Amino acid sequence: MSLVKQRDPEQREFHQAVQEVVETVKPVLDRNMEYRQQAVLKRITEPERVIMFRVPWQDDDGQVQVNRGFRVEMNSALGPYKGGLRFHPSVNLGIIKFLAFEQVFKNSLTTLAMGGGKGGSDFDPKGKSDGEVMRFCQSFMAELYRHIGPNTDIPAGDIGVGAREIGYLFGMYKKLKNEFTGVLTGKSLNWGGSLIRPEATGYGNVYFASEMLATRQDTMEGKICLVSGAGNVAQFTTEKILDLGGKVVTLSDSGGYIYDEAGIDQEKLAFVMQLKNIRRGRISEYVEKYRSAVYTSVDPTLDYNPLWTHKADCALPCATQNEINQKDGENLVSGGVRLVSEGANMPCTPDAIDLFLEAEVLYAPGKAANAGGVAVSGLEMAQNSMRLSWPREEVDNRLKQIMKSIHSTCLDAAADYSIGQNYLAGANIAGFTKVVNGMLDQGLV
Ligand code: NDP
Ligand code: 2IT
């Protein structure tokens, strides 16, 4: 840890992600002397390659804008680099490195042949015209294309990168390479995308939560759920909770959150999807349409998020990193929450996680619970290679099977080290062991 911090002192999120893995895999290193001799921790925390580049583009007023582009190719022991692209003004190298690091273990857990990577830019798609987003994506790809490929590195979406952005990125890649290949996932269904990919992260999250509940002879039926975010993962987490008979009472965006005590039903969810995906509006508009719901805007003077103070059975954070701090964790536990399943990457701070584990809340880390998205990306790659596409039920069944298998893999790894029903340690140990063994098999490269 001291080496990691000394090398990149300002990369706080990366330190946090590494610390959590290092702490939980200590018993693995104690059991396997070779891992220490081969300096696996030093190797696994240093990216194989980091690419940073200038992204110049012209806005609608003719002004030249310059953003910064990133791709971190973290680890290729198990397959080509795989992971999303994030477009958000907060993006910096530390955030992309934490996401790439998490991705390595997540992809390992899916059982599919994928290494880990992540990329993005500090570009803010919010408030930009389609033309501006297209010109930005084209400029971004004008550099990225030389580093990626269907057998090298396969990006996808993340925050701020959805079907529209993937389309523009793919178009530019195809033009530059004169090649129509599955170099990106999350493509539109009409030109190589997979059924269920848009739904996969959210559905997978709820499949994982259901597996956890089943260990206590319980189900989603009748559960009151707090969901944060209002983007891709939050929308399909909500949809699957409704499918399984649960009730979702909150959604949020960076401006604030809505609380709808009556529950967000299918019709209201359809309104949110239209609002967010087509009109690109704010979640505050929900209460203009559904007047019994309450909107609370973000109060920067508070050191907790009031969303997490509502009484509920389950919490599924689906917005961004560190959105649940210690105080939020306390509020969740005292509000009766018995299950926390991370749709987002690293949404809970370490002290919040400690609280959940102490209180025996069923807690699933993102690298297990949100792996359904990248898993179906892996299935999209398989379909692209075969040049055919599977029906909806087939992809959904495979997704369910993969989430089930990740759940049992976490429990088995935890049992192997006698640490009880600890999904955090289980996911880290299982993901880590597979990647490290792959690295050792392939020699010092
Ligand atoms: P979207 O861009 O579709 O939605 C993101 C949502 O989170 C929006 O409601 C956004 O609000 C909110 N949000 C983002 N950043 C912040 C912030 N700094 N503060 C407050 N709210 C914020 O992204 P996704 O749904 O795809 O991603 C959500 C999370 O899930 C991320 O952590 C991502 O890494 C993770 N994830 C995504 C996968 C996927 O397949 N898409 C797979 C696995 C994990 P606003 O619009 O106001 O910015
Ligand atoms: O964090 C993630 O797993 C994603 N954003 C999805 C990555 C992918 O390649 O589908």
Side-chain angles (χ1 to χ4, degrees):
M1 267 323 298
S2 57
L3 184 69
V4 166
K5 286 185 177 164
Q6 187 193 323
R7 267 212 173 130
D8 299 293
E10 74 296 349
Q11 296 179 353
R12 276 180 303 110
E13 291 85 357
F14 181 59
H15 302 163
Q16 184 183 334
V18 172
Q19 177 93 41
E20 180 209 283
V21 169
V22 167
E23 275 171 10
T24 46
V25 301
K26 193 172 171 298
V28 183
L29 297 175
D30 292 341
R31 199 186 275 182
N32 301 276
M33 287 317 290
E34 196 196 355
Y35 289 179
R36 283 219 167 85
Q37 284 152 9
Q38 292 287 340
V40 294
L41 282 181
K42 251 189 215 165
R43 288 158 68 181
I44 213 165
T45 51
E46 188 63 18
E48 289 179 16
R49 190 176 295 108
V50 172
I51 301 146
M52 270 177 70
F53 49 100
R54 178 173 67 193
V55 189
W57 57 281
Q58 220 167 9
D59 68 20
D60 286 345
D61 298 328
Q63 288 286 330
V64 171
Q65 304 283 345
V66 177
N67 285 98
R68 189 170 277 179
F70 303 89
R71 187 74 182 165
V72 172
E73 297 181 334
M74 199 75 194
N75 193 298
S76 61
L78 301 182
Y81 310 106
K82 179 82 195 91
L85 296 171
R86 175 176 294 190
F87 292 170
H88 192 272
S90 64
V91 162
N92 58 41
L93 185 57
I95 288 182
I96 299 299
K97 271 177 70 179
F98 117 65
L99 290 162
F101 187 72
E102 293 272 298
Q103 198 80 43
V104 172
F105 306 104
K106 184 194 304 190
N107 293 3
S108 162
L109 288 169
T110 65
T111 69
L112 304 173
M114 299 182 290
K118 199 87 184 192
S121 173
D122 57 4
F123 173 75
D124 186 359
K126 225 175 279 158
K128 303 286 191 300
S129 70
D130 284 352
E132 288 174 322
V133 170
M134 181 182 76
R135 291 193 296 279
F136 173 80
C137 287
Q138 291 179 338
S139 178
F140 186 84
M141 189 52 88
E143 174 57 34
L144 188 68
Y145 87 100
R146 70 185 88 249
H147 307 288
I148 63 176
N151 297 308
T152 309
D153 185 352
I154 305 93
D158 193 80
I159 291 176
V161 177
R164 173 182 61 172
E165 290 74 19
I166 293 292
Y168 295 146
L169 290 164
F170 184 84
M172 193 63 180
Y173 180 88
K174 186 185 65 175
K175 181 179 171 114
L176 292 168
K177 288 282 241 208
N178 192 25
E179 219 176 68
F180 194 113
T181 51
V183 67
L184 294 165
T185 60
K187 300 185 290 300
S188 167
L189 281 179
N190 298 326
W191 42 272
S194 174
L195 285 159
I196 300 287
R197 177 62 189 89
E199 294 88 343
T201 311
Y203 280 17
N205 186 18
V206 182
Y207 294 151
F208 197 94
S210 301
E211 289 294 320
M212 292 200 291
L213 287 169
T215 66
R216 298 189 180 169
Q217 288 72 50
D218 205 349
T219 68
M220 266 292 163
E221 178 88 41
K223 294 285 177 296
I224 296 176
C225 301
L226 306 176
V227 174
S228 64
N232 173 270
V233 181
Q235 291 169 17
F236 290 104
T237 291
T238 301
E239 183 165 285
K240 187 50 72 180
I241 291 171
L242 297 187
D243 266 8
L244 299 182
K247 178 167 158 182
V248 175
V249 292
T250 59
L251 285 173
S252 69
D253 62 21
S254 53
Y257 81 96
I258 56 112
Y259 175 69
D260 187 342
E261 197 178 355
I264 300 161
D265 60 17
Q266 287 291 353
E267 184 222 305
K268 294 171 181 172
L269 179 60
F271 169 81
V272 172
M273 288 183 176
Q274 159 85 15
L275 170 71
K276 283 291 171 185
N277 309 348
I278 316 278
R279 289 200 284 124
R280 299 183 192 276
R282 309 306 299 156
I283 198 68
S284 57
E285 293 171 46
Y286 184 97
V287 299
E288 291 162 22
K289 170 118 175 133
Y290 303 107
R291 298 207 169 255
S292 60
V294 182
Y295 176 71
T296 307
S297 53
V298 168
D299 177 352
T301 64
L302 292 182
D303 60 354
Y304 65 95
N305 182 348
L307 189 159
W308 307 118
T309 62
H310 295 279
K311 282 208 174 335
D313 305 302
C314 307
L316 299 102
C318 298
T320 194
Q321 65 274 2
N322 293 329
E323 55 170 316
I324 294 181
N325 64 22
Q326 184 173 8
K327 206 152 190 183
D328 297 317
E330 285 164 7
N331 289 335
L332 285 169
V333 173
S334 61
V337 161
R338 307 299 304 150
L339 177 146
V340 177
S341 194
E342 296 186 342
N345 286 306
M346 208 169 76
C348 300
T349 60
D351 36 20
I353 297 172
D354 288 344
L355 280 174
F356 300 146
L357 296 178
E358 274 161 37
E360 293 188 15
V361 167
L362 292 167
Y363 164 74
K367 59 172 80 73
N370 73 36
V374 74
V376 174
S377 279
L379 301 180
E380 182 171 331
M381 289 160 65
Q383 294 168 80
N384 291 165
S385 301
M386 293 186 292
R387 299 195 189 287
L388 50 79
S389 53
W390 295 326
R392 196 179 166 86
E393 296 68 39
E394 173 159 6
V395 182
D396 197 23
N397 284 332
R398 283 178 187 262
L399 170 63
K400 258 183 225 155
Q401 274 315 314
I402 290 171
M403 298 315 296
K404 230 181 158 67
S405 131
I406 296 175
H407 178 266
S408 57
T409 299
C410 292
L411 286 187
D412 292 349
D416 192 17
Y417 287 86
S418 313
I419 37 186
Q421 195 173 5
N422 182 332
Y423 293 95
L424 176 71
N428 286 340
I429 290 172
F432 176 82
T433 306
K434 188 171 169 195
V435 173
V436 164
N437 288 340
M439 288 170 72
L440 296 185
D441 289 346
Q442 294 168 29
L444 189 56
V445 290

